[in-house]
Amino acid sequence: MSPILEVKGLQTSFGAVNVLAGVSFAVEPGETYAMVGESGSGKTTVIRAIAGLAPAQAGSVKFDGEEIRGISERAMRPLRKDIAMMFQDPTGSLSPRLTVRNLVTEPYRIQGMKDKDLDAEAKRLLELVNLPAHFADRYPYQLSGGQARRVGVARALALEPKLILADEPTAGLDVSVQGELLNLLNDLRDRLGLSMVIITHNLNVVRHIADRMGILYLGRLVEEGTTEAIFDEPRHPYTHCLLSANPEPDPDARLERIALKGEPPSLLIRPKGCEFRERCPMASDICMQTPIWEVENGHGLRCLTPR
Amino acid sequence: MSDTLLEIDNLSVDYETARGDLKALRDISFDVKKGEIVGIVGESGCGKSTLISSILRLTAPNTRFRQGEVRFKGDDLLTMPERQMRNLRGSDISIIFQDPMQTHNPVLSIGRQMVDIQHRTKVSKSEKRSIAAKMLAAVGIPDPEARLKQYPHEFSGGMRQRIAIAMALMSEPDLLIADEPTTALDATLEVQIIERLQELQREFHCAILFISHHLGVIAELCDRVVVMYAGAVVESGDVREIFHDPKHPYTRRLIECDPGHIKERARVLPTIPGEVPDLANLPDGCIFRDRCEQATDRCAQVPPLEKLKEGHFAACWLNHPEESST
């Protein structure tokens, strides 16, 4: 099977700031891929660059075998039927002046699909995301965070995309609602055969939804593998730090916590050698050399002192 | 004098709205002892923010205190003259807000802001500056002297939150209120902030009222926990009691829903179906009744918050099997 999405050596700079320094990954049809990293790691830029919403100066983005990096907006527009975005801020990403009916059917209007019965479509989409039909008349300010998020999902699903790019789909949701959204995404993937790229810093979420995951640090993948392999046997010290930084809802759980020193360095002055060296609990002299990306049994790693 | 620092006693707070009175807090009672870390946990709309602003009396104009008292060292804050209240804020009681990016004044240097908030202290300006530098060092900001000259935008989010903590602790308060101080931060920084708070609490011996919806953080940091739902306290007690032996169905469901709790990959995650009730139009009986799987006819009556054993309170009829027939 050929991947639905194949990203190779993707590079993005905003002025002098090199945000993505060559990101490569692939998503198979029906697969959910999670991209995990701290603020500033470039997660959001990755999916924005894939969707053509952020510049990408070098590299390749193949969707369904076709190169889409750097194509014109005109050429991109029909593809937006197949590649849907879910934006980070659930309420902020909805126009406050449109009703839910207009919001979920806006994609049809943008794509010029005039033959659709918009009322019926709105009803179908709301049903798909488990919202009552009378919500069609509401405005975004009348929605809770969880409901606004579901409207965002409905909008993303309107054109029956093949690929969904979701930016922090559970950020700002209460735990009781978070599960509901993840169940919905899992269910839709099974029923509609969607592929998904999920951007998140919440590792608890990744475990339940992703098939494979990549760990992004300063705009580069430092580790990639199946979700089970990463959770069970993280090899990169950074991955290990991230996993151990997850506070557990149990007062007696005393984790073997690996202190992560400091904060991510500035992208303007990238560290020499291994870029994680200065914060790494395992760093040694060898880390002055630049580690290369090595893949073994489907598990990718960029580290000279793996665990 | 007793060792109780803050006592909230039967506090009820309404917001007057066009739709009628929104009953944001109803009969809230709990206390915070000296040097204790008390966590308040609850989801959106449970009244956490109303509670904090009521304690500090920084409430919106349409707020009405219907009943109850907020006693700090024995004095009722709700009836205290404004002048006296102002003297308490930022000295005896201080607060760390949720969003570190908006806490500081963007056009003044950090040093200037840290000197300014010492306006009650009668020492020279250079002394205030060195106190400020010492506090920055205490929260782990390297090279504090030089960084005092910098502006908020020159610091990262995690650093800004640590500066906010330094400023809140500078007056050596008896009570520190932390309103979701880690929500806007990454997990790695969240851990740094929590560990820093723990250290500082040992050093300064202040009590902390820690508000969060993140159960993991509450479990790690707090001595006692108050669980709120839709404007009411449904359960409170020792952190171990709450997490290991929850006595209210809401608490139990909330802990179950936390994906951090579920180690094996789950295809279907637990949720709490339904929505928080409309506080302007309160349903009769137990507030959690509509979403509770164990609800019975008894739940048509509001269950009182009752002591189950030393240090564990819950408001649920399930804890009273003997009163099953009335």
Side-chain angles (χ1 to χ4, degrees):
Chain A
M1 212 156 35
S2 60
I4 182 104
L5 179 74
E6 197 175 11
V7 178
K8 272 197 184 139
L10 190 67
Q11 292 208 33
T12 291
S13 296
F14 296 108
V17 187
N18 180 220
V19 180
L20 300 183
V23 173
S24 306
F25 69 102
V27 183
E28 302 292 330
E31 186 181 48
T32 301
Y33 186 96
M35 186 79 82
V36 179
E38 289 174 282
S39 311
S41 60
K43 321 184 277 293
T44 299
T45 307
V46 169
I47 58 168
R48 293 186 74 94
I50 293 170
L53 301 174
Q57 283 84 2
S60 141
V61 178
K62 282 201 176 120
F63 176 71
D64 232 354
E66 261 176 76
E67 180 63 51
I68 59 167
R69 183 187 73 83
I71 61 173
S72 68
E73 178 54 35
R74 207 192 156 94
M76 190 73 198
R77 180 158 288 187
L79 284 171
R80 293 198 200 283
K81 264 192 285 213
D82 295 329
I83 308 174
M85 277 286 275
M86 276 171 61
F87 294 95
Q88 185 166 0
D89 179 357
T91 317
S93 63
L94 305 176
S95 166
R97 303 175 50 154
L98 295 182
T99 59
V100 168
R101 174 183 295 105
N102 285 327
L103 284 165
V104 297
T105 54
E106 198 182 15
Y108 299 121
R109 257 171 287 133
I110 292 172
Q111 292 288 344
M113 299 161 111
K114 294 206 177 66
D115 54 332
K116 292 271 179 190
D117 174 356
L118 297 185
D119 281 338
E121 284 300 317
K123 200 165 162 247
R124 180 183 70 88
L125 288 167
L126 290 181
E127 209 177 286
L128 202 59
V129 296
N130 307 324
L131 283 176
H134 68 87
F135 268 61
D137 295 317
R138 293 204 179 182
Y139 286 91
Y141 77 92
Q142 294 166 312
L143 304 174
S144 70
Q147 291 160 352
R149 184 62 79 179
R150 275 180 271 170
V151 172
V153 178
R155 248 163 93 87
L157 292 173
L159 299 169
E160 290 167 15
K162 294 179 183 154
L163 176 68
I164 287 192
L165 306 171
D167 194 354
E168 298 273 9
T170 60
L173 295 184
D174 284 321
V175 280
S176 66
V177 199
Q178 180 174 297
E180 218 167 283
L181 187 94
L182 295 177
N183 293 343
L184 174 68
L185 289 177
N186 268 335
D187 177 48
L188 291 171
R189 174 181 57 177
D190 293 348
R191 269 167 45 204
L192 309 175
L194 295 172
S195 313
M196 283 192 270
V197 179
I198 286 185
I199 301 300
T200 185
H201 68 262
N202 187 342
L203 284 160
N204 288 331
V205 164
V206 173
R207 193 201 297 256
H208 301 294
I209 190 163
D211 301 307
R212 284 192 308 131
M213 60 193 283
I215 314 288
L216 201 63
Y217 187 72
L218 293 186
R220 261 187 249 274
L221 282 178
V222 294
E223 186 164 8
E224 184 189 57
T226 62
T227 307
E228 289 79 37
I230 302 266
F231 272 89
D232 295 347
E233 272 177 79
R235 302 205 63 214
H236 198 286
Y238 179 62
T239 314
H240 209 257
C241 289
L242 283 182
L243 290 173
S244 77
N246 228 345
E248 294 221 14
D250 178 356
D252 291 330
R254 283 292 157 254
L255 307 170
E256 174 209 356
R257 183 161 284 162
I258 306 100
L260 187 55
K261 292 174 247 168
E263 301 187 19
S266 160
L267 287 167
L268 285 169
I269 323 151
R270 283 182 173 270
K272 296 251 176 334
C274 171
E275 295 182 333
F276 183 58
R277 178 171 49 94
E278 288 158 358
R279 300 175 75 195
C280 183
M282 316 273 289
S284 66
D285 290 345
I286 192 178
C287 303
M288 291 302 286
Q289 294 168 30
T290 306
I292 53 160
W293 181 250
E294 283 176 291
V295 184
E296 200 180 304
N297 298 329
H299 198 113
L301 186 68
R302 191 192 304 277
C303 182
L304 294 165
T305 55
R307 297 173 50 91
Chain B
M1 206 179 143
S2 72
D3 60 350
T4 304
L5 185 68
L6 179 77
E7 280 171 281
I8 313 237
D9 197 1
N10 275 312
L11 181 70
S12 293
V13 178
D14 294 357
Y15 290 117
E16 284 181 357
T17 69
R19 296 193 301 129
D21 286 357
L22 197 144
K23 298 185 169 45
L25 294 179
R26 298 177 312 284
D27 285 320
I28 304 285
S29 296
F30 68 92
D31 55 15
V32 180
K33 297 189 174 49
K34 281 179 186 155
E36 187 182 40
I37 307 185
V38 175
I40 297 198
V41 65
E43 299 184 282
S44 318
C46 74
K48 302 186 291 264
S49 303
T50 306
L51 181 65
I52 300 166
S53 44
S54 300
I55 295 171
L56 290 163
R57 238 173 72 194
L58 294 172
T59 48
N62 63 341
T63 310
R64 300 290 170 263
F65 294 102
R66 294 298 180 206
Q67 62 160 27
E69 289 187 358
V70 176
R71 285 190 296 274
F72 180 71
K73 295 182 183 168
D75 300 326
D76 184 10
L77 298 182
L78 299 182
T79 53
M80 188 177 268
E82 179 58 28
R83 179 197 292 248
Q84 219 179 325
M85 194 67 214
R86 280 189 71 153
N87 284 333
L88 278 183
R89 291 189 202 117
S91 60
D92 293 17
I93 307 178
S94 59
I95 180 161
I96 309 166
F97 292 100
Q98 183 168 358
D99 187 351
M101 308 314 260
Q102 289 174 24
T103 302
H104 308 285
N105 185 333
V107 297
L108 296 178
S109 70
I110 287 298
R112 169 79 193 275
Q113 295 183 51
M114 293 186 80
V115 167
D116 282 355
I117 62 158
Q118 299 178 63
H119 65 99
R120 292 187 179 103
T121 326
K122 298 208 164 31
V123 294
S124 73
K125 205 167 173 190
S126 62
E127 252 173 280
K128 286 181 180 174
R129 243 188 128 72
S130 74
I131 293 172
K134 223 188 288 165
M135 279 312 298
L136 279 191
V139 294
I141 307 263
D143 200 8
E145 291 287 344
R147 301 224 67 162
L148 280 178
K149 297 193 190 82
Q150 291 185 314
Y151 289 83
H153 74 91
E154 295 172 89
F155 294 86
S156 68
M159 279 178 144
R160 278 191 236 184
Q161 197 60 301
R162 279 188 275 157
I163 294 170
I165 294 175
M167 288 169 81
L169 289 175
M170 204 139 66
S171 61
E172 303 192 8
D174 296 315
L175 176 66
L176 176 69
I177 300 176
D179 182 8
E180 307 228 12
T182 60
T183 307
L185 301 173
D186 282 326
T188 50
L189 300 177
E190 186 169 53
V191 169
Q192 286 181 12
I193 295 284
I194 293 167
E195 286 177 352
R196 188 65 67 180
L197 269 176
Q198 268 169 332
E199 267 172 51
L200 292 167
Q201 197 263 346
R202 267 176 239 132
E203 200 181 320
F204 288 84
H205 305 294
C206 61
I208 302 179
L209 188 58
F210 190 91
I211 288 90
S212 181
H213 65 260
H214 192 328
L215 293 167
V217 174
I218 296 270
E220 177 146 353
L221 184 68
C222 299
D223 304 316
R224 279 198 302 133
V225 184
V226 176
V227 184
M228 287 180 68
Y229 177 74
V233 173
V234 295
E235 185 163 3
S236 73
D238 176 82
V239 68
R240 281 193 180 76
E241 287 277 325
I242 297 285
F243 279 92
H244 292 163
D245 189 19
K247 290 293 187 197
H248 194 286
Y250 176 65
T251 315
R252 210 173 299 139
R253 298 288 290 147
L254 198 62
I255 295 171
E256 277 169 22
C257 283
D258 191 319
H261 214 68
I262 308 156
K263 287 279 164 271
E264 291 302 311
R265 184 190 169 114
R267 288 296 299 181
V268 179
L269 290 164
T271 62
I272 308 179
E275 305 257 336
V276 180
D278 181 1
L279 295 183
N281 204 349
L282 279 179
D284 291 333
C286 171
I287 190 75
F288 189 57
R289 189 180 162 198
D290 291 346
R291 298 173 80 183
C292 184
E293 291 167 337
Q294 292 158 281
T296 62
D297 292 344
R298 276 199 293 172
C299 305
Q301 304 276 320
V302 180
L305 185 67
E306 281 194 336
K307 188 174 185 172
L308 303 176
K309 57 170 134 167
E310 198 50 46
H312 196 162
F313 296 78
C316 181
W317 292 121
L318 290 172
N319 301 311
H320 303 273
E322 71 279 7
E323 294 165 31
S324 53
S325 54
T326 41

